[in-house]
């Protein structure tokens, strides 16, 4: 029995053997060794190799496994590795790719080296090229960019026997033969017939009797997150894609969508952690990481200088009662934590469509109550804690009130900002924990000093009466 | 053409009509209205209804659509709604569920009301019950809890024609007929035969000639995240599940895994945002939210009191140079942001298995360099910024050095904690942005005061010489 677990171990074991063969320069032994490897084992070995070794391995592979390997590499890796190979050999490999993978690879090559791309295209079959080019017009993050044109379509008047005969011929080129799409002369979708239904039907049954006319379909411009949601909600493994004229132009299969869900989750997680970085972390070098991360951190640092301005403005208060400075991190830090927590819950619920814009006031009302509870709990704690260290009860009361107001406002800010971002057409995930923390640092300080002046005013020489 | 978008609109339009019929109490009209609704439209209507209306709708549905609706409800909602129905009617509905859904529903009912569960079980077909009970022994988050026992198995000696005949009879009960599993007399998995391969083979071909012996399989205790990863890596739509004796006991289909990926992403996102809360945000009331959120926030607030202790300890320094207090939020806030950012990148890479424990020193070395770059950039900014407001160059230098050290240590802490958590068997996502922020608040203050004493020591009356 083949267990998947063996692949990783297998890969590590294989590297020394492969290296030994590469060193001998014996291309026949190399080809024989590679022929024994399963695609995923080969991919496991791949990342253990040096750039130069990778080129030799790819060149030694027959076009089909080479294409399979290539389709698993990222759009940054693909053109780099193709750079060293002869254009004819590249073209032979590309011919083996599925149309959607070919379209992606050609786009990557075009962006990396336009001249090389022209050369490779010259060696490709014009028909293959036409199918791939039809796909490159679509946005990568929409159904058009995910779909493959290799579906099977049948006519409503065919019999089960005719469809089966047709299938035997068409099957090798199709992405899936488990769902057959019934179209009219204008390529308009009329129904779907599952292979399952076909198998259990008598040979003379007509497609129109067997098919289901009730089809869920998407458009070429349906966003990939929406595609994933529809597939999950309806438990579908394939979705037909229609163009603006309702013509069937492709299908999206669930295995492509599985990758999309993981990618989208990574994007959301990065954004929410204040790292909206579109790079491969593992392979990025420190300079790239610095450039990408700093651009976002600079925004936060500059916003954070507002905290200096606030404290500087109220410096005379701290000069009089120095101990007040000691509570600053506890107060504003808790504000940031409360805000980040609720923002996380709201952002995720917006992303999974459990919440929509119209739910804002319901969420606000709920978080007003939750925020009051959190504020009262932490406010009481704060009053007790301060009183323990500081016998002056006025200071303890001022700190307690500040904590109530900070926790409550953090809760409202954290619940509101994601909705505001969605309303403005910005990804709510960009509110981010660091972003909320920064907002709450500034807001928390303003609340703190206003409350201190209000409660302790008469005790402070500079503030004879409560400020207006 | 049916577009999915219409469902939500449809649902909202349907509610008034449905309410009107419910008010008349005419059960025939209600049944007729419900019969016209597609499952997803019905689910859309469902959440717009009051509890009492839901009970009447569910009771009015025939067993099959009622079961479909039930299977889409959460394990908290299921027992509540079943409470008001007659046990016989509940049993009739449950009979229509797939074994994995039935197992989940029975478990939910058992936890909610053991007596009721016994009563309902009494009405169920013993064979159905046995299949479901076999599934309840497995962990919900492992392959055993995801799988269905409704797969189709064939013998290696059967011919294509025999398999097709067998399929026509067995198809209605199977979760998928697109992959047929070849087992021996001991139910041990020998190969897999796709319906695609079967269709294109001559009728007299034997299963052993058509099947692929090279199968990727999982165990009943394979974690669901691992299952999702294998399906995505190998582009599979079904995975066979083996028990400890290598016997085929079930299959996991990709549509179940699609939900898992979304759930796991939600869990990770909640944890990383400091809200490791296993509740449905949209339906939780403020008291539940308060209880769940506070338990985690209390930990952060209590840790945060350390900041008070640090500042209190060095209060004499702030008393002498009050302006130093004004930089505290800027310094420690930036530390938190830098740390949260790198922790987010590392946690996600660990979750997607792009990073493993063994990569720790490579990551540390990379983040040492990235942290130096960030530290130098922000340190220079800080020195310039402080010098602009504060002509004393020593203070500007002290602040610059502090910023370098805080950014660097935040980067190292943020990169290390997720690895430490993984090493300890804790989910790295629990390091969380608020957690890192809290650690960096305390560490940042310690760094700040040590640097201030070191650089400004001679200027401070209380610190005649640099501290050891």
């Amino acid at each position: 029995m083949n267990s998947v677990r063996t692949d990783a171990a297998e890969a590590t074991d294989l590297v020394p053997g492969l290296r030994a063969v590469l060193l001998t320069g014996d291309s026949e032994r190399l080809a024989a060794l590679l022929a024994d490897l399963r695609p995923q084992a080969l991919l496991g070995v791949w990342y253990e190799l040096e750039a130069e070794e990778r080129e030799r391995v790819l060149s030694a592979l027959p076009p089909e496994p080479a294409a399979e390997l290539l389709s698993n590499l990222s759009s940054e890796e693909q053109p780099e590795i193709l750079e060293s190979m002869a254009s004819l050999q590249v073209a032979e490999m590309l011919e083996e790719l599925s149309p959607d993978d070919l379209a992606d690879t050609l786009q990557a090559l075009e962006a990396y080296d336009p001249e090389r791309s022209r050369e490779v295209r010259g060696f490709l079959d014009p028909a293959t090229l036409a199918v791939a080019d039809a796909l490159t017009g679509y946005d990568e993050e929409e159904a058009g960019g995910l779909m493959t044109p290799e579906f099977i379509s049948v006519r409503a008047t065919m019999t089960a026997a005719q469809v089966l005969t047709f299938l035997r011929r068409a099957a090798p080129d199709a992405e899936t033969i488990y769902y057959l799409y019934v179209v009219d002369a204008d390529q308009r979708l009329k129904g779907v017939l599952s292979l399952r239904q076909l198998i259990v039907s008598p040979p003379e049954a007509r497609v129109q009797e067997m098919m289901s006319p009730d089809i869920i379909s998407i458009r070429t411009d349906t966003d990939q997150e929406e595609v994933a949601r529809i597939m999950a909600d309806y438990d579908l493994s394939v979705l037909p894609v229609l163009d603006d004229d309702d013509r069937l132009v492709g299908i999206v299969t669930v295995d492509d969508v599985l990758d999309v869900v993981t990618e989208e989750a990574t994007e959301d997680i990065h954004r929410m952690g204040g790292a909206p970085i579109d790079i491969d972390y593992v392979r990025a070098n420190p300079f790239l990481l610095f450039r990408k991360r700093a651009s976002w951190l600079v925004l936060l640092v500059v916003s954070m200088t507002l905290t200096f301005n606030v404290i500087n403005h109220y410096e005379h208060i701290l000069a009089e009662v120095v101990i007040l400075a000691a509570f600053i991190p506890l107060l504003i830090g808790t504000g940031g934590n409360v805000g980040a927590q609720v923002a996380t819950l709201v952002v995720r619920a917006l992303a999974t469509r459990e919440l929509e814009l119209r739910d804002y006031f319901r969420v606000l009302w709920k978080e007003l109550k939750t925020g009051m509870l959190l504020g009262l709990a932490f406010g009481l704690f704060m009053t007790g804690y301060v009183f323990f260290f500081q016998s002056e009860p006025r200071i303890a009361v001022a700190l307690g009130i500040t904590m109530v107001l900070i926790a409550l406002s953090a809760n409202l800010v954290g619940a509101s900002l994601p909705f505001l971002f969605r309303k403005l057409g910005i990804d709510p995930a960009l509110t981010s924990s660091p972003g909320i923390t920064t907002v709450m640092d500034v807001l928390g300080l303003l609340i703190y000093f206003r409350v201190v002046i209000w409660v302790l005013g008469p005790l402070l020489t500079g503030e004879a009466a409560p400020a207006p």
Side-chain angles (χ1 to χ4, degrees), chain A:
Chain A
M1 187 48 44
N2 292 293
S3 160
V4 165
R5 281 288 182 197
T6 57
D7 279 345
E10 209 180 307
T12 318
D13 294 349
L14 282 166
V15 175
L18 186 60
R19 284 234 163 91
V21 177
L22 279 169
L23 276 176
T24 65
D26 183 339
S27 57
E28 264 176 52
R29 269 183 64 198
L30 180 60
L33 184 73
L34 293 174
D36 283 344
L37 284 181
R38 283 193 292 146
Q40 207 64 24
L42 184 58
L43 196 63
V45 170
W46 183 259
Y47 286 114
E48 307 281 318
L49 299 177
E50 303 296 323
E52 188 261 353
E53 294 170 326
R54 290 183 187 176
E55 287 165 15
R56 289 177 57 197
V57 165
L58 194 64
S59 297
L61 283 169
E64 206 178 328
E68 170 133 19
L69 178 64
L70 191 69
S71 69
N72 275 307
L73 303 182
S74 74
S75 55
E76 288 88 45
E77 293 167 296
Q78 284 178 344
E80 279 177 36
I81 191 74
L82 295 179
E83 194 67 8
S84 63
M85 293 172 68
S87 292
L88 176 61
Q89 198 185 5
V90 171
E92 275 173 358
M93 190 182 348
L94 297 190
E95 287 276 358
E96 300 295 329
L97 289 173
S98 66
D100 47 337
D101 284 339
L102 177 57
D104 292 344
T105 307
L106 283 175
Q107 267 182 301
L109 196 59
E110 175 74 29
Y112 187 82
D113 183 350
E115 182 143 351
R116 187 72 204 280
S117 166
R118 254 194 307 281
E119 213 176 290
V120 170
R121 290 173 68 97
F123 285 108
L124 283 170
D125 175 25
T128 311
L129 213 46
V131 175
D133 283 344
L135 291 176
T136 47
Y138 298 110
D139 187 323
E140 229 187 292
E141 307 221 321
E142 294 178 353
L146 278 178
M147 73 184 186
T148 167
E150 297 185 314
F151 56 87
I152 292 183
S153 58
V154 294
R155 290 300 166 85
T157 50
M158 290 168 86
T159 63
Q162 283 174 326
V163 172
L164 273 172
T165 309
F166 171 66
L167 263 191
R168 293 201 175 95
R169 197 164 43 76
D173 290 329
E175 173 94 13
T176 179
I177 63 161
Y178 302 133
Y179 292 93
L180 315 173
Y181 295 94
V182 188
V183 294
D184 65 13
D186 292 329
Q187 196 67 11
R188 289 207 169 74
L189 188 57
K190 293 294 160 195
V192 63
L193 171 61
S194 69
L195 183 55
R196 182 179 193 137
Q197 181 60 43
L198 186 69
I199 293 289
V200 300
S201 300
E204 68 281 5
R206 298 261 167 205
V207 167
Q208 58 207 11
E209 300 151 16
M210 298 182 287
M211 77 181 195
S212 160
D214 201 20
I215 321 166
I216 292 163
S217 62
I218 50 177
R219 300 274 165 187
T220 50
D221 63 354
T222 304
D223 184 81
Q224 61 179 7
E225 278 192 84
E226 179 73 12
V227 175
R229 203 151 36 231
I230 293 170
M231 283 197 159
D233 284 354
Y234 292 78
D235 282 347
L236 298 171
S237 56
V238 197
L239 272 175
V241 186
L242 309 185
D243 69 8
D244 290 341
D245 299 322
D246 279 349
R247 282 181 310 221
L248 180 63
V249 288
I251 55 173
V252 174
T253 54
V254 70
D255 51 288
D256 295 325
V257 168
L258 204 53
D259 297 331
V260 166
V261 174
T262 306
E263 280 164 28
E264 292 280 345
T266 297
E267 192 182 276
D268 275 9
I269 287 171
H270 283 177
R271 288 180 174 185
M272 290 168 76
I277 297 174
D278 184 25
I279 50 168
D280 181 342
Y281 174 72
V282 176
R283 274 181 289 124
N285 67 41
F287 292 98
L288 183 60
L289 275 175
F290 167 71
R291 270 216 323 277
K292 293 268 188 176
R293 289 177 57 192
S295 58
W296 194 246
L297 285 172
V298 161
L299 183 70
L300 294 172
V301 171
V302 171
S303 314
M304 202 74 99
T305 57
L306 283 173
T307 60
F308 170 78
N309 295 321
V310 174
I311 303 180
N312 198 27
H313 180 73
Y314 292 108
E315 196 192 334
H316 58 285
I317 296 177
L318 296 184
E320 264 187 85
V321 193
V322 180
I323 194 73
L324 290 178
F327 296 108
I328 288 177
L330 175 53
L331 289 170
I332 64 180
T334 300
N337 289 342
V338 169
Q341 202 188 42
V342 69
T344 299
L345 293 170
V346 170
V347 166
R348 186 60 184 164
L350 282 169
T352 57
R353 300 278 160 177
E354 289 165 81
L355 286 180
E356 296 288 350
L357 264 186
R358 61 167 182 273
D359 298 316
Y360 175 58
F361 289 104
R362 206 154 52 79
V363 168
L364 195 69
W365 177 232
K366 176 149 89 176
E367 290 307 334
L368 188 71
K369 290 182 278 185
T370 312
M372 276 309 297
L373 291 169
L374 288 171
L376 286 174
F378 295 139
L380 280 174
F381 165 82
M382 196 70 196
T383 304
Y385 183 77
V386 175
F387 193 69
F388 182 79
F389 282 100
Q390 191 65 28
S391 49
E392 171 58 72
R394 285 226 200 188
I395 292 184
V397 170
L399 268 290
I401 293 174
T402 304
M403 191 58 128
V404 174
L405 294 178
I406 286 181
L408 179 60
S409 59
N411 219 40
L412 298 182
V413 167
S416 300
L417 276 187
F419 280 101
L420 178 67
F421 273 47
R422 166 67 59 86
K423 178 85 184 168
L424 296 175
I426 305 168
D427 181 355
L430 285 171
T431 42
S432 78
S433 294
I436 296 275
T437 304
T438 304
V439 170
M440 284 317 301
D441 279 358
V442 179
L443 189 57
L445 286 170
L446 287 172
I447 292 173
Y448 186 30
F449 285 111
R450 294 318 296 175
V451 170
V452 162
I453 291 172
W454 179 57
V455 177
L456 302 185
L459 297 184
L460 303 168
T461 37
E463 311 272 344

